[in-house]
Amino acid sequence: MISAGRHARASTHGGDIHDVSTMIRRMLTAASTALVVITSGLVLTGAPAAAGGPPGTIPVDPAACAVTAPIEFGAAPTDELAGGACRRFTVTGGYTSYLARAADADNATLPSAVYGYSGSMACAQAFCNLSAGTYYLVVDPGAGQPYAEPFRATVAGLFGAGCEPVTGQGFSDAYRGTFAHVGAVGCLELPVATGQYQVTLPPAAPGRQPLTQLVQEGDAFLCNAPVTTTAGCTVRIDRPTRLIVVNQGPAAGDYQVGLQRLGRGNTCAALAPGKPGAPGSMTVPLSGADFVTCFAVPAGGSGSEEVLTLDRVEGDGTARLSVYDYDGILRCADETAAAYQQIGCTLGDSSHMVVVRSATGAGKFRISQVTAIAANCAAPASTAFGGVPTAGSIAVPGDVRCYRVTDNSWIGTAPDSASTPTVRRFGWDGGLYTCATLPCLASGEVIVSGAEPVDYRLDTWAVGYDYAEPVDCDVLTDSTAYGFGPITGTFTATDRAACVSVPMGLEDDFRLTVENAVPWVINGQGTIARCAGNGATWTCSPRPAPSGDRALIAFLATGTGPFRAEATCADLFCDRASFSVGGLYNLTAGSKATVKIYGNALHQQDTVTLTQYGRQIVPIVVRSVDPSRTFYTAEIDLTGVEPGSYEVTATSYGRPERTFVDDRVTVLEPQLAVTTGPTISGPVVADAKVTVKPGVWSPAVDYYSYYWYANGEAIRGARDASFTIPATLRGQRLTVTVIGHRLGYRDNTVTTAAYVVGYGPAAKATTKPKITGTVKVNRTVKVSVGVWSPRASSYGYEWRVNGVLVATSSSLKLKKSWAGKKLTVTVIAKRTGHYAGKAVSSTIKIKK
């Protein structure tokens, strides 16, 4: 099925004559079918051959080539079934188009090529563009054998006199002509009326179709596909144009040619539109006399997406269906001649025409149209993976049903479906594409139809494009280096399938044991394939997308109830895995230990040992492997193992030739153990002496080292078990690090908890302060601070009269108003990092 626009110009180039002849055989075999539509694509096999010069690569002896002369239109060939493998002919005048054809006794065209005298090939088909000179028409000997049968040569200039003018017949009539001779060449002068035209031939027996060719002003044109292709051979006539018609039948006789303008200017019956479930249809008879017809799809009369169906209701004929736009450009077609065919078109709001061409035989055909597909698309019964199917039926061949599914959905028929419908989808280019087999993956609007009445039950399960995050499938994140699973679940009448996304490499194969299900793979390239096998054992070969590393494996129930699936890697290592170990760096001598050993593609049955210079020291027992297969949990007994450098040697359980050695392992001396950690003893305050208690160590320590820290900074010179705290550390966090040392053991280092250094005790007065001087009004008195322990670094003062604070200086002038009142002074002793001490003098009465 195709969706086509204008075909590009085709070109073949000179090369091996046998290769070119193979192309011609295929072309001529195709020419035996019903329809020839001509294109404006120029075909040449190289530059025109130059006349004159010495013989070159002509595959025959030029001297042995009989002479044949060009004939006029309608005349009999001058050369009648002569022997030999070649004919010589002469071209006069300027560069122009020629027919140079070889035919057998039945007048069937033979593969051949035209050579110039210099030996260069001029063309490798019946129509050539040639300059003046001498040329040789050489029949392909085939399989390296010389050509032995007599053949007829026909050479004709395509721009000679005697070309009959014709007009476009529309779709109601055809041109009827007569070949007066076997091998005669007819010429029809087409009207110069700008537009897109087609040339159509009626059905005929194989090998009896005329050979047709279009020429325009010195150019000979072929379609860019075989000349009988329905879709691609239209011509835009905007200059003098000739249609060359060559008799290929075994006798003289009549022929018909249809010449129609495509697009605008035609009178075509309006095709009845319809919608899914109610198609519009019309019938038309096709035969050798009436072999082409058209239907109009008026502007605004079609939806953006529509389906057209050709269905034979009587007779034995086949036909083809094509759709052209207002300008005569092909929009969609089916190249296959058939009794039933269905095409999809994405059409705009402009008018279009549907062309139906008879291909073989005769019959009555129904043409059905379903428009507005998107607007009438229904939601399926379920999009959950494994969900219930959507039930539907197709009553007549021209009907369709449409379901709107999510991106990249599994489309298939349920096991209880009465029959299998045809499933199609519209592509990004607007064409309708068929699922070659079911299940398949499709997105958007899914079209369901059938050549016969169909009752179906359709699964429409969402998958999604991102297989790392599928719509409705579980996702395995663990390595599949050795396989995966088990995967378990329970199937019910409404949940008949499960799927899982698995990580994998580009060429991985998995062997699966499956209970109560059949496994399928949904490949990253957008295909679905059933795994190979039957019963409980299967081989699945998923293929991820080129840019990805995941595929989906689906399990379709064979019945209700529990299911189970488990996979092993057919080649031992999947998921791009490569066996290796590493990451076990430091061990301790003299004890048993549980360790983690890191690596890739690890397996619990791998053989792992501690070695030294290739000699096994002790085995390493693998207890488990992480699901990621990137580390073992293992046990190793290092009792009696000497400290030193060693290796870990691991051998893959399934591939004993795959051994990996990690030489970065060090076995260390045992380390001193600390049962009870160290503490600081004594008041942690300014000017206090504290001592560290080292705690309990095992075995007994030979000696300790001490390092004192304040706020994490080492205190210079503080390296003893005792330490007097300077007053400057008040408020900082005090710690001590203790290092235990013992011969034959590794040191251990432990740090105490942090202690915040508090204030030291307040200074006390051993001799009270006293007031000095005459305690009389208008006199100044002072204070003697007394004696303090420890010594204060500074003092403060508080003078009170009758208990009221009157001054804080070291001296005081007595006021007149204080006469007769009581005077005291309080001395405050201050020391860095300590609380403040206070002492009060004796009370003295102030005199007048």
Side-chain angles (χ1 to χ4, degrees):
M1 187 69 68
I2 67 166
S3 175
R6 292 187 71 179
H7 278 255
R9 177 173 295 180
S11 177
T12 57
H13 298 279
D16 191 303
I17 186 170
H18 302 295
D19 293 339
V20 176
S21 298
T22 299
M23 179 274 293
I24 297 173
R25 286 194 189 97
R26 293 174 180 168
M27 178 190 78
L28 296 174
T29 300
S32 65
T33 55
L35 172 65
V36 177
V37 185
I38 308 303
T39 186
S40 57
L42 173 62
V43 177
L44 288 175
T45 58
T57 58
I58 301 176
V60 294
D61 179 6
C65 295
V67 176
T68 188
I71 65 172
E72 296 181 351
F73 296 126
T78 58
D79 182 288
E80 285 294 333
L81 295 175
C86 65
R87 298 288 186 272
R88 182 176 65 203
F89 64 93
T90 300
V91 172
T92 60
Y95 177 76
T96 188
S97 298
Y98 271 77
L99 169 73
R101 173 177 175 262
D104 63 14
D106 290 328
N107 198 31
T109 300
L110 295 171
S112 63
V114 173
Y115 292 83
Y117 184 72
S118 66
S120 61
M121 183 185 292
C123 61
Q125 68 273 339
F127 296 95
C128 302
N129 294 316
L130 304 174
S131 300
T134 299
Y135 294 91
Y136 301 87
L137 174 64
V138 180
V139 177
D140 178 16
Q145 300 299 319
Y147 187 78
E149 299 296 327
F151 74 93
R152 175 185 296 108
T154 302
V155 177
L158 303 185
F159 282 89
C163 196
E164 179 183 354
V166 295
T167 60
Q169 283 77 37
F171 287 86
S172 61
D173 200 0
Y175 172 84
R176 289 169 173 81
T178 300
F179 289 121
H181 306 281
V182 175
V185 180
C187 178
L188 303 178
E189 188 80 35
L190 276 61
V192 180
T194 300
Q196 202 82 5
Y197 285 77
Q198 68 173 10
V199 176
T200 309
L201 299 177
R208 298 303 182 260
Q209 285 285 14
L211 179 64
T212 53
Q213 183 68 40
L214 173 76
V215 292
Q216 287 182 329
E217 297 295 335
D219 289 335
F221 298 103
L222 277 175
C223 298
N224 65 332
V227 292
T228 52
T229 298
T230 301
C233 302
T234 58
V235 56
R236 178 167 292 277
I237 298 178
D238 55 4
R239 53 187 166 139
T241 303
R242 291 185 171 191
L243 178 66
I244 306 302
V245 186
V246 184
N247 181 10
Q248 288 198 124
D254 297 335
Y255 66 91
Q256 295 184 84
V257 176
L259 173 63
Q260 293 93 27
R261 184 176 181 178
L262 299 171
R264 70 191 77 187
N266 286 287
T267 301
C268 303
L271 188 60
K275 63 181 182 180
S281 63
M282 298 183 72
T283 58
V284 60
L286 293 175
S287 64
D290 298 308
F291 54 89
V292 61
T293 190
C294 67
F295 296 95
V297 179
S302 64
S304 109
E305 293 176 346
E306 61 182 270
V307 176
L308 295 161
T309 306
L310 179 146
D311 173 37
R312 187 182 68 205
V313 295
E314 292 181 10
D316 62 355
T318 62
R320 295 185 177 92
L321 195 63
S322 303
V323 179
Y324 296 86
D325 66 12
Y326 183 73
D327 293 321
I329 304 302
L330 182 72
R331 292 306 178 195
C332 49
D334 191 332
E335 296 181 353
T336 306
Y340 170 87
Q341 62 179 222
Q342 195 169 68
I343 61 175
C345 296
T346 299
L347 305 178
D349 292 332
S350 62
S351 61
H352 292 76
M353 66 183 299
V354 178
V355 177
V356 186
R357 304 173 178 88
S358 179
T360 61
K364 182 181 288 186
F365 293 86
R366 177 171 48 207
I367 312 301
S368 303
Q369 180 190 29
V370 176
T371 67
I373 299 293
N376 290 281
C377 235
S382 174
T383 59
F385 204 93
V388 296
T390 300
S393 63
I394 301 297
V396 294
D399 194 9
V400 300
R401 295 290 188 274
C402 178
Y403 302 101
R404 185 171 290 106
V405 300
T406 60
D407 287 345
N408 218 36
S409 289
W410 170 298
I411 310 297
T413 50
D416 58 352
S417 182
S419 52
T420 301
T422 299
V423 176
R424 297 183 174 93
R425 61 178 177 81
F426 278 97
W428 62 268
D429 58 356
L432 194 61
Y433 293 85
T434 302
C435 285
T437 59
L438 293 179
C440 70
L441 293 174
S443 302
E445 290 132 8
V446 172
I447 310 298
V448 181
S449 63
E452 302 291 341
V454 174
D455 293 322
Y456 60 86
R457 288 168 60 79
L458 195 70
D459 292 324
T460 52
W461 302 334
V463 175
Y465 288 114
D466 187 354
Y467 288 3
E469 296 181 4
V471 174
D472 198 25
C473 300
D474 293 332
V475 178
L476 291 182
T477 57
D478 297 333
S479 168
T480 57
Y482 292 94
F484 59 87
I487 297 171
T488 59
T490 301
F491 291 133
T492 67
T494 58
D495 187 3
R496 300 176 292 108
C499 63
V500 61
S501 168
V502 296
M504 58 170 299
L506 291 177
E507 300 294 333
D508 289 350
D509 295 320
F510 293 101
R511 293 195 180 99
L512 280 79
T513 55
V514 184
E515 299 172 8
N516 196 29
V518 174
W520 294 69
V521 293
I522 306 173
N523 291 305
Q525 297 93 331
T527 60
I528 300 177
R530 175 171 162 154
C531 297
N534 54 58
T537 304
W538 305 81
T539 298
C540 295
S541 301
R543 293 296 174 257
S547 60
D549 57 359
R550 283 186 171 270
L552 301 181
I553 298 183
F555 302 95
L556 272 62
T558 55
T560 58
F563 88 95
R564 184 181 189 277
E566 189 166 6
T568 59
C569 181
D571 295 325
L572 184 63
F573 294 132
C574 289
D575 195 17
R576 300 182 176 89
S578 178
F579 179 71
S580 64
V581 294
L584 179 65
Y585 302 118
N586 293 318
L587 299 171
T588 300
S591 64
K592 295 180 179 180
T594 298
V595 296
K596 287 184 178 180
I597 304 176
Y598 292 86
N600 293 292
L602 306 180
H603 195 280
Q604 190 165 348
Q605 297 180 43
D606 294 340
T607 301
V608 188
T609 57
L610 185 71
T611 58
Q612 189 175 50
Y613 307 120
R615 181 175 61 88
Q616 179 176 326
I617 303 301
V618 292
I620 299 175
V621 181
V622 177
R623 295 302 184 193
S624 65
V625 175
D626 185 76
S628 67
R629 299 197 177 276
T630 57
F631 67 85
Y632 305 111
T633 297
E635 293 180 357
I636 182 169
D637 187 353
L638 296 172
T639 303
V641 176
E642 295 294 327
S645 296
Y646 294 83
E647 311 97 26
V648 168
T649 300
T651 302
S652 172
Y653 91 99
R655 294 276 183 88
E657 74 278 8
R658 297 196 180 188
T659 296
F660 199 92
V661 178
D662 181 8
D663 60 1
R664 297 170 294 174
V665 180
T666 301
V667 176
L668 304 172
E669 294 175 325
Q671 189 176 41
L672 289 169
V674 180
T675 305
T676 303
T679 57
I680 295 175
S681 176
V684 184
V685 297
D687 290 331
K689 184 176 182 180
V690 291
T691 302
V692 61
K693 293 184 177 180
V696 179
W697 297 61
S698 178
V701 174
D702 290 343
Y703 66 95
Y704 298 102
S705 297
Y706 306 98
Y707 298 88
W708 295 83
Y709 296 86
N711 281 354
E713 297 290 334
I715 302 172
R716 182 178 297 179
R719 302 286 297 275
D720 296 327
S722 297
F723 176 63
T724 300
I725 304 172
T728 55
L729 297 185
R730 210 285 311 161
Q732 298 190 35
R733 298 184 307 278
L734 185 69
T735 60
V736 59
T737 295
V738 179
I739 302 175
H741 307 276
R742 180 184 173 92
L743 185 64
Y745 286 80
R746 282 181 292 131
D747 295 346
N748 204 345
T749 301
V750 188
T751 299
T752 65
Y755 298 78
V756 178
V757 177
Y759 287 99
K764 297 181 179 179
T766 56
T767 301
K768 289 176 58 177
K770 63 180 180 179
I771 299 170
T772 61
T774 303
V775 184
K776 186 176 180 180
V777 295
N778 292 327
R779 294 291 183 92
T780 297
V781 293
K782 296 183 179 180
V783 60
S784 172
V785 297
V787 180
W788 296 81
S789 178
R791 186 172 61 185
S793 54
S794 64
Y795 296 95
Y797 310 95
E798 295 176 350
W799 294 92
R800 288 178 174 80
V801 175
N802 278 358
V804 177
L805 181 65
V806 295
T808 58
S809 55
S810 60
S811 61
L812 176 66
K813 185 176 182 180
L814 301 177
K815 296 181 180 180
K816 185 176 181 180
S817 60
W818 293 346
K821 296 181 179 181
K822 297 177 180 178
L823 177 68
T824 62
V825 62
T826 300
V827 175
I828 303 169
K830 301 176 182 180
R831 181 178 174 86
T832 302
H834 287 254
Y835 293 107
K838 293 184 178 182
V840 182
S841 67
S842 299
T843 301
I844 303 175
K845 188 175 182 181
I846 302 172
K847 297 178 181 179
K848 292 184 180 178

